[in-house]
């Protein structure tokens, strides 16, 4: 068995094993925690005589430091292979204006585990078919065949068409297996909108109202007065 034959047999096995290891070992990176130091400036104010101060009938205004969404997190998990990133970025920009101070996280929504496993098998099959077409006369005797099967000669008759079709069909199948069709929006870990359930994208006003309700309920549960009418 020469080096070329070892390469044709070993490369698909190596790719398959490395994909399996990366599938079960690798974990998505956690979002970075950004902490900004707060600078406190002390200003000296002149003393005021209480007798000269007139009582005011206006109610004190409640100011929120950092924005109305401070301490909250909105996560948008989308299908990256479906070209949904532009939609996710547009929603994120709209929500950043509506809820300043909120932390926004964009992440890929992976397909189910069976589809991910099949997507790892496809490139191995592609390389195997191309290897058989190119060097089948040396591979089949090593596998115990006296002569290559009849279908091998049909593939070998149109070598370029077979290789091109295998490559294109394999890539199309991989794109299908990587797609999840998801556009899921979470507020503090709680699902707010799911494209997988609704079968459509959320409207901007609709999503803004859903997050407003969730944020108001969260503030009421924490004992903070509601900020929206």
């Amino acid at each position: 068995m020469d080096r070329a034959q070892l390469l044709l047999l070993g490369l698909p096995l190596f790719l398959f094993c490395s994909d399996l290891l990366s599938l079960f070992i690798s974990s998505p990176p956690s979002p970075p925690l950004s902490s900004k130091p707060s600078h406190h400036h002390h200003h000296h104010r002149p003393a005021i005589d209480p007798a000269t101060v007139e009582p005011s009938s206006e109610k004190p205004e409640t100011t929120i430091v950092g924005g109305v969404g401070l301490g909250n997190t909105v996560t948008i998990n989308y299908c990256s292979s479906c070209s949904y990133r532009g939609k996710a970025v547009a929603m994120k920009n709209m929500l950043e204006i509506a809820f300043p101070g909120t932390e926004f996280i964009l992440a890929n929504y992976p397909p189910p585990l069976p589809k991910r496993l099949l997507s790892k098998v496809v490139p191995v099959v592609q390389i195997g078919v191309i290897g058989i077409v190119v060097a089948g006369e040396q591979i089949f005797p090593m596998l115990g065949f006296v002569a290559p099967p009849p279908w091998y000669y049909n593939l070998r008759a149109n070598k370029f068409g077979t290789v091109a079709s295998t490559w294109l069909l394999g890539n199309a199948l991989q794109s299908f297996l990587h797609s999840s069709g998801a556009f899921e929006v979470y507020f503090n870990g709680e699902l707010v909108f799911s494209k997988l359930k609704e079968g459509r994208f959320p409207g901007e006003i609709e999503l803004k109202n859903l997050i407003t309700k969730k944020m108001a309920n969260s503030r009421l549960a924490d004992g903070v007065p509601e900020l929206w009418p």
Side-chain angles (χ1 to χ4, degrees):
M1 185 180 295
D2 57 8
R3 294 182 179 180
Q5 294 170 348
L6 286 174
L7 182 61
L8 290 174
L9 290 178
L11 184 58
L13 294 176
F14 174 75
L15 292 175
F16 182 69
C17 294
S18 63
D19 287 337
L20 286 181
L21 288 176
S22 64
L23 180 65
F24 291 102
I25 295 178
S26 63
S27 58
S30 57
L33 299 177
S34 61
S35 59
K36 298 182 180 179
S38 59
H39 302 280
H40 299 280
H41 301 280
H42 298 280
H43 301 278
H44 297 282
R45 298 182 179 180
I48 301 176
D49 188 2
T52 61
V53 177
E54 297 181 359
S56 175
S57 60
E58 297 181 358
K59 296 181 179 180
E61 296 182 357
T62 303
T63 59
I64 301 175
V65 179
V68 295
L70 185 65
N72 297 307
T73 302
V74 174
T75 305
I76 302 179
N77 292 341
Y78 62 94
C79 174
S80 59
S81 63
C82 303
S83 301
Y84 289 171
R85 178 171 176 79
K87 185 74 172 178
V89 171
M91 289 291 185
K92 172 178 174 292
N93 294 336
M94 181 271 297
L95 294 175
E96 282 180 339
I97 298 175
F99 307 103
T102 305
E103 180 183 7
F104 293 91
I105 301 174
L106 301 182
N108 177 47
Y109 189 96
L113 182 60
K115 295 181 69 175
R116 280 183 283 167
L117 291 176
L118 287 176
S119 68
K120 304 301 180 182
V121 177
V122 172
V124 178
V125 175
Q126 284 179 298
I127 296 177
V129 172
I130 295 174
I132 288 175
V133 172
V134 174
E137 294 179 355
Q138 290 79 27
I139 294 177
F140 283 110
M142 290 187 299
L143 298 177
F145 293 89
V146 178
W151 55 264
Y152 164 73
Y153 297 101
N154 295 330
L155 296 178
R156 188 69 182 270
N158 187 11
K159 183 187 299 185
F160 177 78
T162 301
V163 171
S165 300
T166 302
W167 189 258
L168 294 176
L169 292 177
N171 291 344
L173 183 58
Q174 270 192 301
S175 178
F176 168 74
L177 293 174
H178 286 159
S179 64
S180 60
F183 195 89
E184 316 298 292
V185 183
Y186 300 86
F187 176 78
N188 292 339
E190 183 180 356
L191 183 64
V192 175
F193 185 90
S194 173
K195 181 179 178 294
L196 296 177
K197 295 180 180 180
E198 301 293 336
R200 60 178 177 84
F201 286 101
E204 293 186 357
I205 298 177
E206 176 188 12
L207 186 58
K208 180 180 177 181
N209 292 336
L210 290 173
I211 294 179
T212 298
K213 292 179 181 179
K214 290 292 183 180
M215 192 175 294
N217 294 335
S218 176
R219 289 185 175 275
L220 289 177
D222 296 337
V224 181
E226 188 174 357
L227 301 177
W228 297 275

